[in-house]
């Protein structure tokens, strides 16, 4: 792949009162293209929208007009909110699929454009679905990093745990950049330091790996867990239901493989109504 620097379209002064031409319209405030197939964007937030960090909402655009009736229907997909619940805007992190019904269009949005956002947040990657523990693991591949981008900026994550380990596996180094920058900015964020206390962010451990392009740590996270590399690298004895909690977000294959690994360590899957040791959600793929 060709490595490229992220290109950010800075927020343009948007009309103070844009005319909502779409149902549940929100206005795009910023778009950043990270690679040829990854981008993130920020939008205005509906005043009524309350959500828990880690949840997702349905977002999208109007579909093409029906050739017979000329009518247009909204084309919506589930997207994890990547911004924390205290942020006055919303952020999303997306793949670009050239023939994907939604992302082939969504990738062209610009500041000032409108998207549809149904303000009904749901999801299992929330603190409420886990029992109290000492160490929290976030396991992500690709755009599965999005819900953790929200949770990593939520003070509760650091208040509830002694250590927070985020692993992110991508094919290439450039695909790690959104997460890498987010963590770098978080560590340098004076407001977070003030909010949490200066030492709190020392709880955060970032463990990025690549599978196809050379990088300091190579391999699928599943392999690195099974052969003990992760534990050796981090000076941790292992994962146990007494101390460890986990959230998993990636492809179907990753989710299934990690479920098996975590259950092998004795962890049980939780839900909003039945909090346990780990939770899983599929990352948006198309
Ligand atoms: P790999 O390159 O070995 O397939 P994708 O771009 O296909 O969504 O994959 C994102 C990252 O997730 C890649 O690094 C990929 O590794 C990895 N991955 C895909 N499937 C699994 C799985 N079942 N277990 C662990 N990692 C996986």
């Amino acid at each position: 792949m060709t490595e490229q620097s992220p290109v950010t379209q800075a927020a343009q002064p948007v009309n103070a009162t844009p005319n909502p031409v779409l149902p549940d319209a929100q206005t795009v405030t910023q778009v950043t293209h990270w690679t040829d197939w990854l981008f993130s964007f920020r939008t205005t937030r509906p005043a009524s929208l309350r959500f828990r960090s880690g949840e997702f909402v349905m977002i999208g655009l109007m579909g093409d007009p029906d050739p017979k009736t000329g009518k247009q229907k909204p084309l919506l997909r589930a997207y994890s909110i990547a911004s924390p619940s205290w942020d006055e805007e919303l952020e999303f992190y997306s793949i670009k699929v050239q023939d994907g019904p939604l992302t082939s269009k969504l990738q062209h949005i610009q500041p000032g454009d409108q998207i549809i956002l149904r303000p009904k947040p749901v999801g299992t990657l929330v603190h409420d679905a886990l029992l109290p523990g000492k160490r929290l693991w976030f396991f992500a591949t690709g755009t599965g990093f999005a819900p953790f981008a929200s949770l990593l900026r939520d003070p509760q994550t650091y208040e509830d745990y002694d250590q927070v380990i985020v692993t992110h596996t991508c094919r290439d180094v450039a695909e790690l950049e959104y997460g890498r920058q987010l963590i770098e900015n978080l560590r340098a964020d004076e407001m977070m330091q003030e909010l949490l206390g200066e030492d709190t962010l020392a709880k955060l451990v970032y463990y990025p790996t690549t599978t196809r392009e050379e990088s300091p740590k190579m391999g699928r996270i599943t392999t690195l867990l099974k052969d003990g590399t992760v534990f050796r690298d981090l000076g941790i004895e292992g994962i146990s239901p007494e101390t460890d909690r986990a959230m998993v977000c990636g492809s179907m294959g990753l989710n299934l493989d990690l479920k098996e690994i975590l259950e092998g360590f004795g962890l049980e899957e939780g839900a909003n109504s039945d909090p346990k040791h780990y939770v899983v959600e599929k990352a948006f793929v198309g």
Side-chain angles (χ1 to χ4, degrees):
M1 66 166 285
T2 48
E3 247 189 65
Q4 63 186 60
S5 323
V7 179
T8 300
Q9 292 159 334
Q12 307 281 327
V14 177
N15 281 344
T17 48
N19 285 335
V21 289
L22 297 173
D24 291 327
Q26 295 301 319
T27 304
V28 176
T29 58
Q30 189 183 313
V31 183
T32 303
H33 293 276
W34 298 92
T35 70
D36 288 345
W37 55 91
L38 288 170
F39 72 118
S40 62
F41 55 97
R42 292 176 69 84
T43 71
T44 52
R45 175 174 174 171
S48 62
L49 178 63
R50 297 277 168 276
F51 67 95
R52 295 175 295 172
S53 297
E55 287 187 313
F56 63 84
V57 285
M58 303 301 290
I59 67 170
L61 298 168
M62 274 308 202
D64 290 331
D66 182 291
K68 286 196 187 125
T69 63
K71 279 198 182 151
Q72 285 177 281
K73 276 201 253 158
L75 189 57
L76 302 173
R77 295 286 184 272
Y79 268 84
S80 289
I81 302 174
S83 47
S85 51
W86 51 260
D87 198 330
E88 62 190 28
E89 288 188 339
L90 297 173
E91 184 175 312
F92 300 95
Y93 182 46
S94 179
I95 196 162
K96 307 177 202 175
V97 182
Q98 294 321 324
D99 56 357
L102 178 61
T103 61
S104 59
K105 295 195 175 112
L106 195 64
Q107 64 182 285
H108 300 297
I109 54 169
Q110 301 213 357
D113 289 348
Q114 294 194 329
I115 63 155
I116 304 168
L117 189 150
R118 299 272 191 252
K120 292 194 182 66
V122 283
T124 54
L125 302 181
V126 291
H127 285 302
D128 293 345
L130 294 177
L131 294 169
K134 293 205 176 310
R135 187 161 49 213
L136 178 61
W137 297 80
F138 292 143
F139 294 108
T141 55
T143 56
F145 192 84
F148 306 136
S150 174
L151 284 152
L152 282 166
R153 292 181 278 185
D154 184 337
Q156 190 186 347
T157 301
Y158 307 95
E159 284 158 10
D160 287 1
Y161 293 92
D162 296 340
Q163 194 174 32
V164 179
I165 301 172
V166 52
T167 83
H168 192 194
T169 301
C170 292
R171 296 179 183 200
D172 304 308
V173 173
E175 294 173 77
L176 292 168
E177 192 58 14
Y178 172 78
R180 194 197 66 74
Q181 279 193 25
L182 187 135
I183 285 169
E184 188 178 273
N185 293 339
L186 182 61
R187 286 187 170 134
D189 189 326
E190 285 177 14
M191 194 191 80
M192 284 298 273
Q193 284 175 11
E194 216 167 281
L195 204 66
L196 298 167
E198 249 179 49
D199 298 335
T200 305
L201 286 167
K203 291 180 178 183
L204 175 58
V205 177
Y206 175 49
Y207 194 84
T209 83
T210 56
T211 50
R212 307 212 183 176
E213 191 184 0
E214 198 72 37
S215 78
K217 183 55 65 179
M218 294 201 62
R220 289 180 165 197
I221 193 65
T222 42
T223 311
L224 301 171
L225 281 168
K226 280 196 253 182
D227 70 10
T229 305
V230 179
F231 305 126
R232 278 194 299 280
D233 286 346
L234 302 180
I236 290 171
E237 286 201 2
I239 289 181
S240 91
E242 281 75 43
T243 49
D244 294 82
R245 302 292 172 260
M247 296 194 188
V248 181
C249 191
S251 62
M252 195 60 95
L254 170 95
N255 290 1
L256 289 173
D257 290 353
L258 258 178
K259 264 168 96 121
E260 201 181 312
I261 292 172
L262 293 174
E263 304 226 337
F265 286 121
L267 272 60
E268 291 176 45
E269 186 169 0
N272 273 280
S273 55
D274 186 18
K276 285 198 177 147
H277 309 125
Y278 78 91
V279 280
V280 178
E281 211 157 75
K282 199 165 149 279
F284 174 68
V285 283

